[in-house]
Amino acid sequence: MDPDRVGQVLLNLLHNAVKFSAEGGEVRVQAHMIAEDAGRPGPWLLVNVCDTGVGIPAQDLPRIFERFYKVDRARTRHVGGTGLGLAIAKHLVEGHGGRLWADSVEGRGSTFSFTLPVA
Ligand code: ADP
């Protein structure tokens, strides 16, 4: 794998996790080896970046990986950002053959997960 690119993905997810969390929130990173990813035999590395931040409304969740898409600009105006980070991160992960996706509950937090093939 390309360590610089994978580092860029991780940094982007960590940056978002902190950016969309209030002071005193918690960000957790976990890494596991899994045998299968969406039916594709591995082994795969599964990385989760989990935060206790503002969360993402269900109707926005499928769109956050689009270029320039931002949830509720009024809500996040003060935190800035281009809306490009996740689109780039997804492109980089998929370029390695993996997947990147998000689970979230609005008001509770978000978990971003990605997989990478283990050679
Ligand atoms: P940016 O952070 O520059 O706005 P991204 O592509 O990284 O762009 O993220 C797109 C949008 O997805 C963000 O504007 C935000 O609305 C939402 N988002 C991303 N990560 C999180 C997160 N950890 N918690 C809540 N919302 C998030």
Side-chain angles (χ1 to χ4, degrees), residues 36-118:
E36 216 182 80
D37 177 30
R40 296 183 301 163
W44 300 86
L45 177 69
L46 169 65
V47 179
N48 297 310
V49 178
C50 187
D51 69 58
T52 56
V54 293
I56 300 161
Q59 74 265 20
D60 293 297
L61 208 47
R63 301 200 58 191
I64 55 168
F65 296 99
E66 292 173 16
R67 280 177 293 167
F68 304 114
Y69 193 81
K70 297 175 75 160
V71 178
D72 183 3
R73 284 163 188 280
R75 183 183 71 157
T76 56
R77 193 173 4 238
H78 59 288
V79 297
T82 57
L84 278 171
L86 286 177
I88 294 168
K90 194 174 169 74
H91 181 77
L92 293 176
V93 168
E94 289 178 354
H96 280 80
R99 294 190 304 130
L100 169 63
W101 70 96
D103 298 291
S104 185
V105 178
E106 196 179 4
R108 284 284 197 76
S110 311
T111 298
F112 284 80
S113 307
F114 65 89
T115 54
L116 290 171
V118 177

